């Protein structure tokens, strides 16, 4: 991550020309294009009450470190997710507390379920505490990879780039995390028919 | 469904309050400015500061109607804030406590006599106003801007929900700000290092929202659940107190979730950074925020942010009348010049005290406005004015200008 700042890849565009980190003006366009999803990710991990600070710090950090952004390795969006992930990592206790609340009462009460998900939610409800505890119990590095896949939708390649870890490590951390989640959810035929069949 | 899908269900979809993006953008642009200025100081012979086409030099048409509203608003807000401090003192405070109770009980009687659902949709239309966190202008002509937004929430009887929003633009906060703004050349658009604030309103937007749009003390509430709340004051107070205790125990009330600024959110503004309950382990500190403030907030939310049936609204007024932490501040005028009775309660005490002040119209039992103490240095309260609340046969549409 040492190349000079440049325009991002075409798929990162928000419809109004290429995004660039070059100066404060174009950085504003990056903010506009990416604020909502970065906030969503941070609020999911740390709760809405604390997301605002971390999200502001994410964009400030991005601006300060824009010279180290390498567009050949990852898009701006993925890069911001990487910065946010590192900042979230400084709030481990808060993340654990947020997970505990999610486990007991489900997602932020201000953020209701999508209609089509209500039925699913009911079936998963009884396992929320177990799942939340399993996520909280993961090694932080495994959890980061897991959530960058599940919540941010980043590819293995993007995760390797923005967390600065080898490509193979992304896969091994992800499978370890998923294995632990499956174990926590095991025994519920609604969620894991294969294992229930074996058991 | 695999475990990643289950995981996404666990995390759900967080919501952002209407001002969050603008607020965060203000913080980021201030940080960038500091960073660049620090960098410029570090270099010898730094070049002149860049100005762009969206800088203060460019003028756009001013929106006089909204500007007048903004100026009037701040004057009214100051009146209420002054009353808040006065009401805390012993002498007048004690006397007014008695009459405050009678005001709330009178409002309860009015609320109880209102007809139940009388239209196809329940709708609340609010005007939100909050000071922009940065001072703008050049040289000696620095001034505070206030940003305004209209939000609407519509609920059909079958539970379908729509949220509407419309930014109204930014305007000088008060008379002194307006004078400084004129000396600065009366710009209608402001640029802070690449970000643009405009005096012009945006287009209105409306979209279908999720089905559980309301929250009370951090707990999700459907339209049907609100219809089923207790209609007896003591039973309602107990129900709300229990919900608040449970949410606090679950850590759902941590921090400063802004009551009322989200879609129908209220009641979650209290608590503190480490709120927890007896069920939690040693990881969490003791709860030192006043839970009674959250109870008052959750009860008051039933009066103005939710489609509560008349009997439930009446019960909420009666329950509030008996709460010792609800202070009566006397008669007050809201930012639109509507007269009413002002009540206040403390949402949290640490790290800085945060209060909500409501102005209600005892004549028709409607809440006229709410003001919540802004963070230190933010330039003032965050205010919501209720422009319309109740049942209507109009169809959901993008919010019009006030």
């Amino acid at each position: 991550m040492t190349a000079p700042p440049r325009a991002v890849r075409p798929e990162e565009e928000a419809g109004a020309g290429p995004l660039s980190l070059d100066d404060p003006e174009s950085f504003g366009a990056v903010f506009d294009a990416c604020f909502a999803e970065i906030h969503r990710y941070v609020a999911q991990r740390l709760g809405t009450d604390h997301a605002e600070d971390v999200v502001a710090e994410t964009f400030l950090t991005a601006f300060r470190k824009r010279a180290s952004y390498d567009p050949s390795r990852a898009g701006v969006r993925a890069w911001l997710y990487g910065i946010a992930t590192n900042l979230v990592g400084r709030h481990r206790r808060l993340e654990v507390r947020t997970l505990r609340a999610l486990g007991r009462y489900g997602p932020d009460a201000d953020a209701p379920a999508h209609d089509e998900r209500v039925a699913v939610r009911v079936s998963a409800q009884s396992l929320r505490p177990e799942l939340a505890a399993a996520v909280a119990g993961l090694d932080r590095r495994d959890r980061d990879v897991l959530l960058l896949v599940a919540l941010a939708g980043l590819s293995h390649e993007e995760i390797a780039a923005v967390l600065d870890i080898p490509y193979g490590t992304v896969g091994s951390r992800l499978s370890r995390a998923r294995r632990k989640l499956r174990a926590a959810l095991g025994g519920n035929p609604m969620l894991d028919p294969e294992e229930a069949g074996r058991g | 469904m695999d475990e990643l899908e289950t995981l996404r269900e666990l995390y759900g979809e967080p919501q952002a309050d209407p001002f969050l993006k603008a607020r965060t953008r203000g913080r980021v642009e201030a940080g960038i400015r500091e960073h660049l200025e620090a960098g410029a100081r570090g270099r010898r012979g730094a070049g002149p500061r860049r100005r762009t086409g969206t800088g203060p030099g460019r003028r756009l048409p001013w929106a006089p109607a909204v500007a007048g509203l903004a100026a009037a608003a701040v004057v009214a807000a100051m009146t209420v804030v002054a009353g808040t401090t006065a009401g805390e003192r012993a002498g007048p405070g004690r006397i007014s406590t008695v009459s405050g109770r009678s005001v709330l009980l009178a409002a309860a009687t009015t609320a109880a006599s209102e007809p139940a659902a009388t239209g196809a949709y329940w709708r609340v239309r609010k005007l939100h106003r909050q000071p922009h966190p940065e001072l703008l202008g050049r040289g000696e002509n620095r001034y505070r801007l206030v940003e305004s937004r209209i939000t609407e929430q519509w609920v059909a009887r079958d539970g379908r929900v729509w949220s509407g929003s419309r930014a109204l633009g930014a305007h000088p906060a008060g008379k002194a700000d307006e004078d400084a703004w004129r000396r600065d050349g009366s710009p209608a658009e402001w640029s802070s290092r690449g970000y643009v604030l405009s005096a012009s309103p945006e287009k209105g937007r409306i979209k279908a929202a999720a089905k559980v749009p309301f929250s009370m003390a951090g707990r999700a509430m459907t339209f049907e659940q609100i219809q089923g709340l207790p209609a007896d004051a003591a039973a309602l107070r107990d129900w709300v107190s229990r919900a608040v205790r449970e949410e606090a125990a679950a850590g759902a009330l941590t921090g400063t979730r802004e009551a009322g600024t989200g879609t129908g959110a209220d009641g979650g503004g209290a608590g503190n950074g480490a709120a927890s309950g007896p069920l939690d382990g040693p990881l969490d500190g003791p709860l030192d925020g006043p839970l009674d403030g959250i109870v008052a907030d959750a009860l008051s939310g039933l009066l103005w942010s939710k489609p509560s049936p008349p009997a439930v609204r009446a019960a909420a007024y009666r329950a509030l009348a008996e709460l010792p932490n609800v202070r009566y501040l006397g008669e007050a005028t809201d930012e639109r010049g509507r007269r009413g009775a002002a009540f206040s309660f403390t949402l949290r005490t640490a790290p800085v005290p945060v209060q909500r002040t409501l102005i209600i119209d005892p004549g028709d039992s409607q809440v006229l406005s709410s003001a919540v103490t802004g963070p230190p240095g933010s330039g003032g309260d965050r205010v919501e004015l209720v422009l319309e609340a109740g049942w209507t046969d109009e169809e959901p549409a993008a919010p019009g200008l006030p």
Side-chain angles (χ1 to χ4, degrees):
Chain A
M1 311 243 285
T2 51
R6 290 238 337 276
V8 301
R9 299 194 307 222
E11 66 265 28
E12 305 290 340
E13 292 175 17
L19 300 182
S20 148
L21 294 169
D22 281 342
D23 53 36
E25 283 73 20
S26 49
F27 191 77
V30 171
F31 179 91
D32 281 343
C34 301
F35 170 80
E37 65 173 310
I38 296 296
H39 176 266
R40 172 179 176 271
Y41 171 72
V42 174
Q44 283 173 321
R45 291 191 68 173
L46 298 181
T48 47
D49 294 338
H50 299 274
E52 185 174 338
D53 289 348
V54 175
V55 172
E57 189 56 34
T58 299
F59 282 97
L60 274 176
T61 303
F63 188 78
R64 282 197 298 267
K65 298 191 172 173
R66 64 195 185 284
S68 68
Y69 166 64
D70 179 356
S72 69
R73 294 193 64 194
V76 165
R77 171 181 163 271
W79 187 58
L80 288 167
Y81 270 115
I83 294 170
T85 300
N86 288 331
L87 291 172
V88 164
R90 295 182 191 169
H91 300 275
R92 197 184 152 272
R93 277 181 49 179
L94 177 60
E95 183 169 25
V96 168
R97 203 157 65 212
T98 305
L99 277 163
R100 184 158 43 206
L102 283 172
R104 285 211 179 107
Y105 291 99
D108 186 313
D110 294 339
H114 293 298
D115 300 356
E116 69 272 20
R117 292 192 184 166
V118 169
V120 168
R121 223 167 246 286
V122 172
S123 65
Q125 186 127 22
S126 58
L127 286 166
R128 258 195 208 127
E130 288 82 354
L131 182 62
V135 177
L138 293 174
D139 183 282
R140 195 202 122 196
R141 293 166 299 180
D142 294 355
R143 183 166 58 231
D144 285 346
V145 170
L146 174 75
L147 296 180
L148 283 173
V149 171
L151 302 181
L154 296 195
S155 69
H156 289 209
E157 194 180 3
E158 287 174 315
I159 294 172
V162 302
L163 295 185
D164 209 13
I165 55 178
Y167 182 86
T169 307
V170 176
S172 58
R173 286 184 187 172
L174 180 63
S175 9
R176 184 162 53 229
R178 293 185 70 159
R179 202 161 53 237
K180 288 180 179 170
L181 294 197
R182 276 198 299 275
L185 296 171
N188 183 316
M190 293 292 291
L191 292 160
D192 202 342
E194 292 162 38
E195 298 210 349
R198 277 200 297 276
Chain B
M1 181 166 75
D2 72 5
E3 64 278 359
L4 293 188
E5 184 60 26
T6 315
L7 192 61
R8 282 189 283 273
E9 296 297 337
L10 173 77
Y11 277 98
E13 289 292 331
Q15 256 181 8
D17 76 65
F19 290 109
L20 179 67
K21 185 171 181 180
R23 204 161 61 225
T24 309
R25 171 191 267 250
R27 291 173 61 177
V28 171
E29 67 190 49
I32 286 178
R33 186 161 55 241
E34 261 175 44
H35 177 70
L36 292 175
E37 282 167 4
R41 279 197 299 276
R43 291 190 300 273
R44 290 199 300 139
R49 285 165 61 168
R50 288 209 303 142
R51 292 240 177 259
T52 68
T54 51
R58 190 170 143 205
R59 309 278 179 257
L60 289 178
W62 179 251
V66 186
L69 177 66
V74 170
V75 174
M78 301 310 274
T79 316
V80 173
V81 170
T84 307
T85 23
E88 297 232 45
R89 291 289 118 221
R94 276 188 208 292
I95 297 163
S96 59
T97 303
V98 178
S99 57
R101 183 171 174 276
S102 64
V103 169
L104 290 171
L105 292 176
T109 307
T110 313
S113 65
E114 280 171 7
T118 51
Y121 301 94
W122 182 83
R123 178 254 320 262
V124 61
R125 173 173 159 89
K126 293 177 186 171
L127 172 60
H128 302 247
R129 315 173 35 74
Q130 77 175 34
H132 186 70
E134 292 289 308
L135 287 181
L136 290 159
R138 291 165 294 184
E140 293 183 352
N141 300 323
R142 299 280 172 178
Y143 47 91
R144 174 79 63 186
L145 291 180
V146 170
E147 295 175 85
S148 306
R149 179 179 295 271
I150 292 280
T151 64
E152 289 185 10
Q153 194 174 20
W154 297 72
V155 189
R157 290 183 196 221
D158 61 9
R160 285 173 302 146
V161 182
W162 295 262
S163 295
S165 178
R166 180 166 198 172
L168 300 179
H171 306 284
K175 184 69 174 69
D177 299 290
E178 194 172 344
D179 292 345
W181 165 76
R182 286 190 202 288
R183 289 195 303 272
D184 191 44
S186 308
E189 203 169 80
W190 298 265
S191 168
S192 301
R193 292 278 171 180
Y195 301 111
V196 176
L197 277 165
S198 172
S200 310
E202 286 177 358
K203 280 187 180 165
R205 293 176 280 113
I206 189 162
K207 60 175 186 180
K211 247 192 172 169
V212 195
F214 305 101
S215 94
M216 178 192 272
R219 172 170 296 187
M221 300 278 288
T222 63
F223 177 72
E224 289 75 18
Q225 284 170 328
I226 291 168
Q227 307 312 302
L229 284 170
D232 170 77
L236 181 65
R237 185 201 60 218
D238 290 346
W239 192 97
V240 169
S241 302
R242 191 167 56 247
V244 166
R245 276 200 307 275
E246 287 170 4
E247 296 300 322
L253 300 177
T254 57
T256 56
R257 177 184 305 148
E258 192 58 70
T261 51
T263 309
D266 68 44
N272 62 82
S276 68
L279 297 175
D280 281 278
L283 260 184
D284 298 294
L287 177 71
D288 57 9
L291 277 184
D292 55 354
I294 316 180
V295 172
D297 205 37
L299 283 168
S300 68
L302 292 170
L303 303 174
W304 66 300
S305 290
K306 297 184 180 64
S308 315
V312 173
R313 291 187 79 244
Y317 267 120
R318 292 196 181 99
L320 283 168
E322 306 305 329
L323 290 185
N325 56 315
V326 176
R327 295 185 305 278
Y328 177 51
L329 307 179
E331 282 191 35
T333 307
D334 84 353
E335 299 196 356
R336 303 212 110 193
R338 303 176 295 187
R339 291 199 65 75
F343 293 85
S344 169
F345 44 85
T346 300
L347 291 171
R348 61 182 184 129
T349 54
V352 291
V354 173
Q355 296 190 322
R356 186 193 289 280
T357 301
L358 294 171
I359 300 179
I360 67 157
D361 180 349
D364 66 1
S365 88
Q366 294 297 321
V367 173
L368 301 173
S369 78
S370 155
V372 173
T373 321
S378 67
D381 292 353
R382 297 177 184 176
V383 176
E384 293 169 71
L385 294 156
V386 180
L387 303 182
E388 288 172 82
W391 291 90
T392 177
D393 284 322
E394 288 176 40
E395 291 289 322
L401 294 173

